[in-house]
Amino acid sequence: MWFDLDGLPVCFPYDAIYPEQHEYMGELKRALDARGHALLEMPTGTGKTAALISLITSYALANPSRPLRLFYCTRTVHEMEKTLAELRLLFSHLPPADACRLLALGLSSRKNLCVHPQVSASGAVDTGCRRLTASWVCEKAAYDRESATPLCDYFETFDAAARKGDLALYIQPGVYTLADLRSLGRERRICPYFLARHMVKHANVVVYSYQYLLDPRVASIVSSEMQKDCVVVFDEVHNIDNVCIEALSVSIRKQTIQGAKGNLRHISQQIDRFKATDASRLNAEYRRLVDGLAQRGNLPISDAWLANLALPDDILKEAVPGNIRKAEHFLTVLWRLVRNLDERVDTENVVNERPVSFATSIYSLAGIETTTLRFLYDRLQSLLLTLEITDTDEFMHIQKICDFATLIGTYKRGFSIIIEPYDDRMPDIRDPVIQLSCHDASLAIQPVFNRFQTVVITSGTLSPIDLYPRLLNFNPVISRSFTMSLTRDCICPMVLTRGSDQLPVSTKFDMRSDPGVVRNYGRLLLEMASAVPDGIVCFFVSYSYMDGIVSSWNDMGILQEIMQHKLVFIETPDVVETTLALDNYRKACDCGRGAVFFSVARGKVVEGIDFNRHYGRLVIMFGVPFQYTLSKILRARLEYLRETSQIQEGDFLTFDALRQAAQCVGRVIRSKADYGMMIFADKSRHDKRSKLPGWIRSHLHDAHLNLSTDMALHTAREFLRRMAQPYDKAGSSGQTEENLQDKARDAMEM
Amino acid sequence: MDYRPSRMAVVAKCAEAFIREFFDQNPLSHVGLVTIKDGISHRLTDIGGSPESQIKALMGKLECSGDSSLQNALELIHGYLNQIPSYGHKEVLILYSALNTCDPGDVMETVEKCKKSKIRCSVIGLAAEIFICKHLCEETGGSYTVALDESHFKELLLEHAPPPPAIAEYAAANLIKMGFPQRGAEDLISICSCHKKIKSGAEGYICPRCKVNVCELPTECRTCGLTLVSSPHLARSYHHLFPVAPFDEVTFKLGQKGGQNCYGCQQSLINSDSQSNLHVRCPKCNQHFCFDCDIYIHESLHNCPGCESQRSFSS
């Protein structure tokens, strides 16, 4: 349907629109008008994606001066496919004249896109691909036809077309999912990965993982192709600050150092071999380095050498320091660095240092200057290319060390280096580690904000919404939280503070091991298991707590009683085991046996796995999922936040815990037709109500704030009965085209 | 507990009412009872036509314990209903109090089997929506409801008493033998075959084939096994299976010829105040009716006079 939004004709691919989608579009339009960033929270299942893409597309069509350039960043490949399906639906509703000009495609790694029969079947696709497509391999094959160097036919077609400049012939405008790209590649015998990467320049909409933008190491391949007027959308990024921090954090263990030493030996052999056979290549590299890093832009695309988004511009223009230009000199510098780190890691006590002092100590002990440190990562990449090394996985260790050095050399603030001889939780096992941890999430994302006119950050859980701008250090023109309009009260959050014996329950450290609390939690789950059909999901604060409480339940006989009602499945740190448990859990829910899934609030399950419909009628959150507060890294980060952003420790911890809790309970509702209950079982929960996302808060009645087990049970029974009644699925919450027109007319008359 | 005095008592009371109502609405249908408990299912009564004997058997066996197994129950029912000839409707109504099912095998296969044998399964839950029940009902074309409280439960249960409209593919034509017994004469004293008591002929009916006395209709003759019904029963059963299609609302265009009067009662359809000349039309025979006749036809008569008279013309 088409409707008018403040003078903008908007094409929406469905017959009805929810009021919150309409509002969402309104806010988004204002952000686009103001050419600023936006921070929008809207619960899942309300058609966020559809609202986003239809507004941005319509906006671009209505303003020919600002053509459609949208970069849509998702979290998983699955979400990517869903977004592309949504785009396809939208394009089919656009006027044909507009739709036939637009190109939208998904971009993913070689692993997901490769169609080469042997390479795609092998485990290491990246390495296999580089072995067949690296520029020197192609050159060698062209130079020496008799030697029958294996090449990738798909890449050769791409290369030939790219040289002629007629790649556009291969790909018609339209929407291409990853599967479409693969089948196109097979049909036309062209490499989908390189084609997609090349077409990013010309595509109107690109959907990919947000790692491509945030992580400077995961080939920032699109950075040079993106213009200022692009719209960048980050979807489902409630933990964007953690992603940013992880992108710039490095930890070096003993194994890393051992591996790096092995790498260095390998490299020096290679250098010797090259010196004997092909010295000109090394000399060419030397000359190039004299000219500076910025001159490398004319390297072939297949070698994945592009500018580093996170590095300040001035570094790119500077010439590489003299002492590492020659390959042998560079190698000795690396040896000194690795030996120095090896000595540092063998410490008996915990060390916490700032990058500046760490760099100074490297200078005094190993004689490497800070400026030199800064170039190590790029210098290593250049050397690996020169030495024609395709197996990048093997050289991971030395790359990690160079990465570490570059970060130390580049950033003076926002980092700390923590050397720990052993993990706090397991003091008996010696496991020394040097951790370079980033505390400032804004460092990784700042270039994105500066570079693009409009960055939209959106997710189901962004509360409290005022904290994100401070964490990421940006200034959104629009920041708003939307609630869900529902035809019925289909979510039922409850706060349980007391057990059936009226004693408070909590996972606070002093009460955690109290047998009364453990028993009360057990009774709660047992009662709920007898009253709730199909699936129940339980979240615990940590693996160790889960192990403890489950074994106590076993001793008390509670677990056996639960097993009479439902089967019990447990998440473990092992991915394969957990996947199996999840499969069986789903099966048990399907066939009516009923099941309980025990999971961890910061585990794998919480990110990306849905417990919608009968797979999750109830989620119980045992305790508040605070981070492990004794961790040195968290302490350092909290301190940094307090000093620079004036965020109190308690505030941040609460925010982080509730964000995680909201994420956990949000797993059960994925659409409006669904229903589910959420129980927060902790006595200290009710004073933190205001920090929960609006869509949960608006359903949290005052009467449900301070319940005991029996009251919760009663509420649950009543809720389930009510939800089982038939209801009007079409729902009056959607508005059709006529409604909107009527509304607009009313507004005009007023 | 949620139902007082107990779920069992409430279910028993409502089930009794349902059985009576069911036979009242479907005099030709038969009912058998199956209980689900302790992980197995047990046949309480054979499929039969007498409400009293069914209720008696049910009241004697009011117990519940252990797990419930939906699969076992469906397998058992499937075994019984499969022998029913093709002209009969096969329906299962499950009153389900448990929130899970403990099955020996894959319940999905059993659901498929029921679907294939065209057994329509409906479930009334007592506590909450269970996915497998919903799946079963959706697959087999039944309805799934969950009761809020006792009165709602009764209401939902009684909704199942009128049969669903016949679906063409189910209703294969077939001839069955039926007896239409007459009320006995005043002076005839005989022993009724159902209660073994001496009764005067006026209290019972005489089977036309073996001349034995039965107390109530509809039933099966104890002696010769003939189905005994009365003609009103037959008519009542019939209309449920082939309901009169709802009439369309129409308004007159001015100057239109013919059809000025209601086809049923011959009253003029044009009111003196020209505002409300709204009336209805049968979609099949295109005859016009007033609202009073519309209600009468659908709720009491169950035949459309227009369609019926057309049929007699053509035959």
Side-chain angles (χ1 to χ4, degrees):
Chain A
M1 69 182 210
W2 285 86
F3 64 90
D4 186 88
L5 185 90
D6 304 337
L8 173 75
V10 176
C11 173
F12 192 68
Y14 298 97
D15 290 336
I17 182 170
Y18 298 127
E20 64 267 28
Q21 282 177 319
H22 194 254
E23 279 176 54
Y24 188 90
M25 288 183 177
E27 296 290 351
L28 201 56
K29 178 175 179 288
R30 257 183 281 156
L32 287 174
D33 282 339
R35 295 169 189 250
H37 308 310
L39 190 63
L40 300 166
E41 179 189 56
M42 190 157 90
T44 324
T46 43
K48 213 164 30 202
T49 311
L52 250 170
I53 56 173
S54 52
L55 184 96
I56 293 173
T57 310
S58 308
Y59 193 87
L61 291 179
N63 296 296
S65 59
R66 294 173 68 179
L68 179 59
R69 296 284 285 157
L70 169 63
F71 285 85
Y72 196 99
C73 306
T74 64
R75 193 171 49 178
T76 58
V77 174
H78 177 67
E79 281 167 9
M80 201 153 123
E81 298 277 356
K82 272 201 294 199
T83 308
L84 284 164
E86 205 71 72
L87 265 171
R88 174 167 296 164
L89 185 72
L90 173 69
F91 279 15
S92 68
H93 283 75
L94 287 177
D98 292 325
C100 71
R101 284 189 288 116
L102 297 177
L103 174 68
L105 50 85
L107 179 62
S108 185
S109 61
R110 287 178 168 97
K111 199 172 82 210
N112 292 324
L113 280 173
C114 184
V115 290
H116 190 276
Q118 282 96 44
V119 174
S120 60
S122 72
V125 177
D126 276 9
T127 311
C129 181
R130 286 207 189 89
R131 201 166 284 151
L132 297 180
T133 58
S135 59
W136 58 87
V137 177
C138 300
E139 274 166 27
K140 195 172 164 202
Y143 174 72
D144 182 12
R145 285 186 188 283
E146 283 77 47
S147 67
T149 319
L151 287 174
C152 174
D153 295 345
Y154 298 92
F155 178 73
E156 290 305 304
T157 326
F158 165 79
D159 205 34
R163 271 175 227 276
K164 272 188 265 166
D166 56 358
L167 273 176
L169 293 178
Y170 281 89
I171 189 158
Q172 304 299 319
V175 181
Y176 292 88
T177 61
L178 299 185
D180 292 340
L181 282 171
R182 278 196 301 270
S183 61
L184 176 95
R186 280 201 196 92
E187 215 175 283
R188 309 288 304 260
R189 301 200 61 78
I190 188 163
C191 179
Y193 172 73
F194 286 106
L195 182 64
R197 240 174 74 175
H198 181 84
M199 291 314 285
V200 163
K201 266 182 257 182
H202 308 285
N204 301 88
V205 183
V206 180
V207 184
Y208 56 16
S209 161
Y210 51 60
Q211 303 286 357
Y212 279 117
L213 265 183
L214 292 183
D215 191 339
R217 286 185 298 270
V218 183
S220 49
I221 46 172
V222 288
S223 59
S224 57
E225 277 86 22
M226 291 165 93
Q227 290 110 32
K228 172 90 181 143
D229 58 352
C230 296
V231 179
V232 177
V233 176
F234 288 98
D235 195 3
E236 292 289 340
V237 279
H238 48 89
N239 54 359
I240 189 164
D241 52 327
N242 293 338
V243 175
C244 294
I245 283 172
E246 269 162 39
L248 291 181
S249 294
V250 186
S251 64
I252 295 173
R253 288 172 192 279
K254 207 73 181 160
Q255 301 93 293
T256 320
I257 292 173
Q258 292 306 330
K261 284 181 181 168
N263 292 157
L264 287 178
R265 269 179 227 116
H266 192 158
I267 291 176
S268 70
Q269 281 166 12
Q270 289 284 332
I271 291 177
D272 290 345
R273 194 169 63 79
F274 264 93
K275 263 194 187 151
T277 56
D278 190 8
S280 63
R281 209 174 155 88
L282 287 171
N283 287 333
E285 186 202 22
Y286 175 79
R287 278 196 299 282
R288 205 164 60 232
L289 290 172
V290 175
D291 293 342
L293 286 170
Q295 301 301 315
R296 296 165 316 187
N298 45 12
L299 278 176
I301 182 173
S302 57
D303 297 348
W305 184 286
L306 284 157
N308 204 332
L309 203 61
L311 289 180
D313 277 345
D314 49 339
I315 292 191
L316 296 176
K317 293 193 188 90
E318 247 177 84
V320 174
N323 57 353
I324 55 171
R325 278 183 210 158
K326 280 258 188 229
E328 307 91 323
H329 298 165
F330 174 56
L331 216 58
T332 45
V333 167
L334 282 185
W335 270 113
R336 286 211 301 272
L337 177 67
V338 170
R339 289 217 181 89
N340 179 253
L341 289 177
D342 200 6
E343 281 162 25
R344 293 298 302 261
V345 80
D346 274 326
T347 171
E348 288 306 321
N349 45 347
V350 177
V351 180
N352 187 345
E353 267 185 277
R354 291 295 166 93
V356 179
S357 65
F358 196 81
T360 322
S361 79
I362 288 183
Y363 178 64
S364 58
L365 292 171
I368 306 170
E369 279 174 57
T370 319
T371 32
T372 316
L373 282 179
R374 206 184 292 167
F375 283 97
L376 288 185
Y377 187 75
D378 285 339
R379 181 66 187 87
L380 180 73
Q381 293 290 344
S382 163
L383 184 66
L384 289 182
L385 283 181
T386 314
L387 296 179
E388 302 180 355
I389 286 166
T390 48
D391 191 357
T392 41
D393 287 350
E394 194 195 326
F395 288 89
M396 192 182 71
H397 298 296
I398 189 70
Q399 280 181 338
K400 207 172 193 180
I401 286 186
C402 289
D403 195 16
F404 176 81
T406 305
L407 287 173
I408 290 182
T410 313
Y411 296 105
K412 304 217 162 24
R413 296 181 62 257
F415 282 84
S416 53
I417 292 133
I418 297 167
I419 308 173
E420 279 180 293
Y422 49 76
D423 194 324
D424 262 356
R425 279 166 281 194
M426 288 174 282
D428 306 332
I429 304 164
R430 197 179 148 75
D431 180 23
V433 58
I434 304 179
Q435 282 163 310
L436 173 72
S437 73
C438 169
H439 303 313
D440 196 345
S442 63
L443 288 178
I445 202 166
Q446 211 52 52
V448 181
F449 282 127
N450 291 339
R451 185 161 190 148
F452 303 109
Q453 199 165 281
T454 306
V455 177
V456 181
I457 292 180
T458 184
S459 176
T461 41
L462 283 178
S463 295
I465 207 156
D466 54 327
L467 204 53
Y468 279 87
R470 278 154 77 193
L471 280 178
L472 301 179
N473 189 19
F474 77 113
N475 234 343
V477 288
I478 306 283
S479 76
R480 233 191 105 178
S481 175
F482 299 88
T483 54
M484 208 189 310
S485 70
L486 295 165
T487 41
R488 54 176 190 170
D489 251 353
C490 71
I491 53 178
C492 176
M494 289 181 258
V495 178
L496 183 128
T497 54
R498 289 160 292 144
S500 41
D501 53 4
Q502 304 302 323
L503 290 175
V505 292
S506 175
T507 53
K508 270 172 82 173
F509 203 71
D510 49 339
M511 298 177 69
R512 200 171 261 214
S513 43
D514 181 358
V517 172
V518 172
R519 192 181 54 244
N520 269 333
Y521 274 148
R523 302 299 310 176
L524 166 68
L525 180 59
L526 179 60
E527 300 278 354
M528 285 299 163
S530 67
V532 177
D534 301 328
I536 296 182
V537 189
C538 301
F539 286 104
F540 297 89
V541 287
S542 66
Y543 279 115
S544 58
Y545 180 65
M546 180 167 81
D547 291 347
I549 201 166
V550 170
S551 67
S552 333
W553 284 350
N554 191 30
D555 296 342
M556 290 176 184
I558 292 174
L559 207 58
Q560 285 75 2
E561 281 182 68
I562 293 172
M563 298 273 257
Q564 297 209 318
H565 297 287
K566 290 189 190 301
L567 305 180
V568 174
F569 297 94
I570 300 186
E571 178 189 359
T572 62
D574 183 358
V575 179
V576 182
E577 234 168 44
T578 305
T579 317
L580 200 66
L582 267 174
D583 273 358
N584 285 324
Y585 169 80
R586 292 224 171 86
K587 233 178 254 167
C589 292
D590 278 337
C591 76
R593 180 64 183 85
V596 184
F597 196 86
F598 289 168
S599 177
V600 175
R602 294 178 185 277
K604 292 262 179 319
V605 166
V606 115
E607 299 292 333
I609 291 171
D610 291 348
F611 292 99
N612 54 349
R613 298 184 300 136
H614 61 286
Y615 297 126
R617 284 296 180 218
L618 167 69
V619 44
I620 306 178
M621 183 82 236
F622 291 106
V624 188
F626 284 118
Q627 286 191 40
Y628 177 63
T629 44
L630 296 180
S631 139
K632 305 274 179 322
I633 297 176
L634 182 63
R635 290 260 139 240
R637 182 169 179 206
L638 288 175
E639 203 175 301
Y640 179 81
L641 284 176
R642 199 179 52 226
E643 280 169 11
T644 54
S645 320
Q646 284 79 47
I647 298 171
Q648 290 302 310
E649 290 181 17
D651 281 353
F652 180 76
L653 286 174
T654 315
F655 149 76
D656 186 67
L658 287 189
R659 165 171 75 175
Q660 206 59 39
Q663 183 63 19
C664 292
V665 299
R667 300 280 101 198
V668 293
I669 295 279
R670 303 320 269 177
S671 80
K672 293 193 172 198
D674 203 0
Y675 64 88
M677 293 182 291
M678 306 147 182
I679 295 182
F680 300 95
D682 195 289
K683 79 169 161 68
S684 57
R685 175 73 70 162
H686 62 269
D687 48 293
K688 304 198 171 90
R689 177 158 69 132
S690 60
K691 302 230 171 50
L692 284 170
W695 60 279
I696 295 182
R697 207 167 51 222
S698 62
H699 287 87
L700 187 57
H701 305 297
D702 287 342
H704 293 165
L705 274 182
N706 192 8
L707 298 174
S708 64
T709 304
D710 43 337
M711 287 147 84
L713 190 66
H714 180 76
T715 316
R717 284 218 171 99
E718 216 168 82
F719 174 78
L720 286 169
R721 285 222 170 81
R722 211 168 55 233
M723 284 304 117
Q725 303 310 313
Y727 76 107
D728 182 17
K729 273 218 172 81
S732 49
S733 68
Q735 293 176 326
T736 56
E737 199 170 342
E738 291 87 61
N739 286 355
L740 285 172
Q741 278 170 0
D742 290 349
K743 241 190 189 172
R745 210 172 305 127
D746 290 349
M748 294 268 275
E749 278 161 18
M750 280 197 297
Chain B
M1 242 2 234
D2 34 8
Y3 294 85
R4 301 199 184 272
S6 70
R7 278 192 187 179
M8 198 68 213
V10 169
V11 170
K13 204 172 84 188
C14 294
E16 184 189 338
F18 170 75
I19 292 173
R20 288 186 196 286
E21 175 73 16
F22 181 79
F23 279 110
D24 191 51
Q25 297 265 354
N26 315 269
L28 298 182
S29 300
H30 289 187
V31 165
L33 297 176
V34 166
T35 56
I36 312 171
K37 67 185 179 89
D38 292 326
I40 52 167
S41 60
H42 173 70
R43 179 176 54 157
L44 211 53
T45 58
D46 279 327
I47 292 178
S50 158
E52 288 307 325
S53 62
Q54 300 284 355
I55 290 166
K56 213 175 129 196
L58 176 68
M59 290 307 160
K61 274 274 190 187
L62 288 181
E63 336 174 302
C64 55
S65 58
D67 294 322
S68 74
S69 167
L70 199 61
Q71 192 189 14
N72 281 340
L74 287 175
E75 289 285 349
L76 186 77
I77 293 164
H78 183 259
Y80 286 124
L81 292 186
N82 232 5
Q83 301 157 6
I84 303 273
S86 60
Y87 58 80
H89 279 273
K90 290 171 274 191
E91 270 201 81
V92 185
L93 176 63
I94 302 167
L95 309 181
Y96 207 69
S97 165
L99 283 177
N100 57 9
T101 154
C102 244
D103 297 321
D106 187 2
V107 69
M108 295 294 175
E109 284 171 18
T110 315
V111 172
E112 272 306 299
K113 221 157 100 184
C114 292
K115 190 184 173 190
K116 238 178 235 159
S117 354
K118 302 204 165 68
I119 299 175
R120 183 175 186 264
C121 305
S122 301
V123 181
I124 299 180
L126 271 78
E129 188 182 84
I130 310 160
F131 172 75
I132 185 68
C133 294
K134 196 170 185 182
H135 177 75
L136 170 72
C137 299
E138 271 170 11
E139 284 294 305
T140 58
S143 71
Y144 181 45
T145 45
V146 174
L148 287 170
D149 50 27
E150 190 181 333
S151 59
H152 187 228
F153 176 65
K154 193 164 181 181
E155 191 184 305
L156 291 175
L157 192 55
L158 294 184
E159 268 173 23
H160 284 275
I167 303 157
E169 58 171 317
Y170 287 119
N174 211 337
L175 289 174
I176 39 170
K177 259 184 200 160
M178 272 187 191
F180 296 89
Q182 287 190 327
R183 204 164 264 274
E186 274 293 337
D187 52 343
L188 183 84
I189 305 289
S190 62
I191 297 172
C192 83
S193 65
C194 23
H195 304 92
K196 314 282 185 267
K197 278 183 189 157
I198 299 173
K199 290 214 169 138
S200 84
E203 282 179 72
Y205 301 88
I206 310 287
C207 167
R209 191 150 73 181
C210 60
K211 307 291 181 214
V212 85
N213 196 341
V214 291
C215 288
E216 54 177 89
L217 292 180
T219 185
E220 246 170 55
C221 177
R222 293 275 169 136
T223 323
C224 62
L226 187 67
T227 312
L228 301 176
V229 290
S230 67
S231 53
H233 284 148
L234 205 56
R236 213 160 39 180
S237 293
Y238 182 77
H239 76 73
H240 286 306
L241 301 177
F242 307 101
V244 183
F247 292 168
D248 305 328
E249 273 190 16
V250 286
T251 45
F252 265 128
K253 285 175 199 127
L254 284 173
Q256 192 181 343
K257 277 187 185 174
Q260 305 278 320
N261 295 334
C262 166
Y263 192 79
C265 57
Q266 303 301 323
Q267 297 272 345
S268 170
L269 286 171
I270 296 167
N271 283 2
S272 47
D273 51 335
S274 58
Q275 292 287 319
S276 63
N277 45 17
L278 197 69
H279 63 283
V280 292
R281 190 180 62 194
C282 172
K284 269 191 193 153
C285 60
N286 287 327
Q287 296 294 352
H288 296 255
F289 294 95
C290 64
F291 282 113
D292 289 339
C293 285
D294 177 32
I295 293 165
Y296 177 66
I297 288 168
H298 279 98
E299 289 185 1
S300 309
L301 197 62
H302 300 297
N303 283 314
C304 168
C307 301
E308 292 300 318
S309 51
Q310 264 184 358
R311 192 178 301 169
S312 58
F313 287 145
S314 58
S315 60

